[in-house]
Amino acid sequence: LGLEFAERVMPLDTPEFASVPRICLTVDNGPLPRQVAMDAGFAAVLRKTVSPVDLADVLRQVVAASHRR
């Protein structure tokens, strides 16, 4: 699972990774995967296939929000 991989690679309880925003990409259209990802600390959830313009917009928003913290 991507959530498990992300936590192993960039654990949120590690100071150097705690401020790095994560974006989840999923093929699932249901509300549960979105809630699970948000509960796991992801800053945003996008459905595959996401357009490059939408991905760029979300990246800008997530990075801007991370700088405001």
Side-chain angles (χ1 to χ4, degrees):
L1 250 182
L3 298 175
E4 293 167 354
F5 176 76
E7 185 57 28
R8 274 189 246 142
V9 173
M10 293 175 32
L12 288 175
D13 60 353
T14 304
E16 62 263 27
F17 296 127
S19 64
V20 176
R22 301 181 201 187
I23 297 174
C24 178
L25 295 174
T26 182
V27 296
D28 196 321
N29 286 327
L32 185 59
R34 175 178 168 65
Q35 189 60 51
V36 170
M38 298 304 283
D39 290 348
F42 282 81
V45 179
L46 297 173
R47 307 278 187 249
K48 292 179 184 176
T49 56
V50 61
S51 76
V53 171
D54 289 343
L55 178 58
D57 286 345
V58 170
L59 286 170
R60 273 193 288 279
Q61 293 170 11
V62 167
V63 169
S66 73
H67 288 297
R68 289 191 291 262
R69 290 184 209 172

